[in-house]
Amino acid sequence: MKKALISGITGQDGSYLAEFLLGKGYEVYGIIRRSSSFNTGRIDPIYEDPHVPHRRLHLVYGDLNDASSLNRIIRTIQPHEIYNLGAQSHVRVSFDIPEYTGEITGLGTIRLLEAIRESGLKPKFYQASSSEMFGKVQDVPQRETTPFYPRSPYGAAKVYSYWVTVNYREAYGLFACNGILFNHESPRRGETFVTRKITKAAARIKLGIQRDLFLGNLDAKRDWGFAGDYIEAMWMMLQVKTADDYVIATGETHTVKEMLELAFDRLQLDWKKHVKIDHTYFRPTEVDLLIGDASKAKKELGWQPKVTFHELIAMMVDADLAAETEKLDGTRKRG
Ligand code: NAP
Ligand code: G4F
């Protein structure tokens, strides 16, 4: 049976990837970090779903900042595939904790690669690279050959991780791939990323439990896809004959304002009555436009995004409305 190891299993992508790999018959190992409160909310449903083979899911404590834990985990599990999804992944926050972001999002990758090299094993390796590396874009649309120009400590850390992944492929013959993924969202998206912040607020405003929504730059453009489609591309990259790097994107771009309008429209709300601009959410340097060209992945991997932008936003708004309604009903019952 194939064994996969996922760093960042408790995150949005990690939870979708774990479900996907379990469905493919893998034994799945996830690295979780010690936390003072529960941090497994996204993967707990796997244990509760009778259709998901959760006995093949194992969680191990470790940290991308702790090389000894990574060495031990790789030596004991001996995985066939490793997906490095763990990161301090918030761009705005990376300006507040730049050194920590470099430590985890940058150096964390080389710790994992070194642990692989020192183990003498040859697992396939996936690195969660990001369209944030394109930053101040040098091409429109952005593709694998577009030069990087990161605009944040996060983007710079991801560029470092990208290049060490390429280097370990070339220097040591490791099957190592970079998936350069453009923004991807879902009902499991972290609540401080803009799409989820908006869909959750729209639901709460509709239910009368929130009045205002504070946002930053509404003019930035992003190429937003569905996380469930994107994790499939990660797996596909590790199934081809030769390791390579691929852009994963929809090829469509929308402003934050368009996304906001769509989310509020779904609940018959006028966003202009509720949204207030708060400069604390602006970044010292912004990435103004992202739009990806995924032709290489389509041609070589046979990958295609399935969920459209409109379907994605509708899915997120509906999920947040259902969740907030359930919370409200629970509060009323207890009251
Ligand atoms: P996410 O929801 O923020 O998840 C990040 C994961 O990393 C969480 O499981 C987190 O654990 C873990 N983590 C953080 N610090 C760690 C550490 N020191 N050691 C071990 N694990 C640590 O991110 P995501 O949206 O799923 O994205 C997955 C990966 O793809 C990230 O590397 C991200 O930078 C990259 N990426 C994301 C997108 C996107 O649009 N979503 C696009 C391109 C690239 P806790 O749960 O304990 O915090
Ligand atoms: O949702 P965001 O925070 O995502 P961002 O910065 O594009 O980063 C995400 O996608 C990257 C891929 O390109 C990943 F690598 C990264 O890990 C992360 O998943 O912000 C999107 C846009 C930005 O232009 C931001 O300035 O929305 C704008 N924005 C406006 N108001 C806001 C807000 N962003 C956040 N988080 N919160 C706001 O209130």
Side-chain angles (χ1 to χ4, degrees):
M1 191 182 290
K2 266 195 175 174
K3 285 191 253 179
L5 174 66
I6 304 174
S7 77
I9 194 167
T10 56
Q12 171 188 255
D13 292 5
S15 66
Y16 281 108
L17 182 64
E19 282 168 1
F20 176 81
L21 294 175
L22 288 167
K24 289 232 167 265
Y26 281 69
E27 191 92 21
V28 175
Y29 294 81
I31 301 177
I32 55 164
R33 357 180 235 168
R34 150 78 189 145
S35 161
S36 65
S37 52
F38 288 112
N39 60 356
T40 55
R42 292 189 179 97
I43 47 174
D44 288 343
I46 297 180
Y47 292 99
E48 287 146 24
D49 186 340
H51 304 295
V52 183
H54 58 79
R55 278 191 200 85
R56 286 192 269 107
L57 174 62
H58 314 274
L59 302 178
V60 288
Y61 277 108
D63 199 299
L64 287 166
N65 205 10
D66 184 330
S68 67
S69 69
L70 302 176
N71 275 308
R72 190 192 63 246
I73 288 167
I74 289 172
R75 265 188 285 108
T76 52
I77 294 169
Q78 307 203 346
H80 300 94
E81 294 175 8
I82 299 181
Y83 296 86
N84 183 29
L85 311 186
Q88 189 305 90
S89 72
H90 203 285
V91 176
R92 174 68 193 85
V93 173
S94 78
F95 287 97
D96 300 329
I97 47 169
E99 192 179 324
Y100 177 78
T101 303
E103 192 68 62
I104 305 307
T105 308
L107 289 180
T109 307
I110 207 155
R111 284 193 194 98
L112 203 45
L113 286 166
E114 269 298 278
I116 294 170
R117 193 175 71 82
E118 283 173 12
S119 73
L121 301 165
K122 288 275 174 191
K124 292 183 175 180
F125 180 80
Y126 173 86
Q127 169 58 21
S129 284
S130 165
S131 49
E132 273 292 305
M133 301 188 303
F134 296 125
K136 189 171 177 183
V137 299
Q138 306 292 296
D139 267 342
V140 179
Q142 297 84 52
R143 48 180 72 87
E144 291 79 3
T145 50
T146 301
F148 299 141
Y149 194 139
R151 296 271 279 172
S152 63
Y154 169 82
K158 283 287 184 188
V159 170
Y160 172 80
S161 283
Y162 172 93
W163 281 116
V164 292
T165 300
V166 172
N167 180 246
Y168 274 56
R169 180 166 77 213
E170 293 173 354
Y172 305 115
L174 190 69
F175 190 108
C177 303
N178 282 287
I180 308 173
L181 272 50
F182 282 61
N183 298 52
H184 46 280
E185 321 291 312
S186 74
R188 297 184 202 168
R189 182 57 143 153
E191 292 171 6
T192 60
F193 296 98
V194 81
T195 54
R196 185 75 200 288
K197 186 172 168 182
I198 290 172
T199 58
K200 186 176 175 197
R204 289 168 63 82
I205 290 168
K206 183 73 183 175
L207 295 171
I209 36 181
Q210 182 173 334
R211 205 187 57 189
D212 296 324
L213 167 60
F214 294 89
L215 292 173
N217 178 14
L218 303 186
D219 297 323
K221 289 182 163 177
R222 290 290 182 275
D223 179 331
W224 280 296
F226 172 51
D229 290 343
Y230 285 38
I231 57 95
E232 210 167 332
M234 298 176 185
W235 175 78
M236 284 172 157
M237 282 177 219
L238 300 197
Q239 311 313 311
V240 288
K241 223 169 152 202
T242 316
D244 208 343
D245 310 314
Y246 297 91
V247 158
I248 300 297
T250 70
E252 245 185 66
T253 194
H254 298 275
T255 60
V256 173
K257 200 184 287 168
E258 283 165 6
M259 186 266 140
L260 173 63
E261 197 155 44
L262 200 59
F264 274 64
D265 275 0
R266 181 143 186 101
L267 299 178
Q268 299 84 45
L269 293 169
D270 179 359
W271 68 268
K272 293 196 182 90
K273 290 186 180 152
H274 301 279
V275 170
K276 302 210 166 18
I277 299 303
D278 182 338
H279 283 271
T280 57
Y281 295 114
F282 280 71
R283 291 141 194 220
T285 39
E286 175 64 284
V287 171
D288 296 320
L289 163 72
L290 288 176
I291 178 165
D293 173 0
S295 330
K296 180 176 169 186
K298 287 179 184 167
K299 187 163 166 263
E300 294 182 15
L301 306 176
W303 178 82
Q304 276 286 353
K306 298 183 194 94
V307 176
T308 66
F309 175 64
H310 281 66
E311 288 166 349
L312 171 66
I313 303 309
M315 178 203 300
M316 292 176 70
V317 170
D318 295 355
D320 272 321
L321 186 65
E324 293 298 325
T325 306
E326 200 179 305
K327 270 195 239 163
L328 197 62
D329 289 348
T331 313
R332 281 197 189 119
K333 269 187 206 133
R334 278 198 299 277

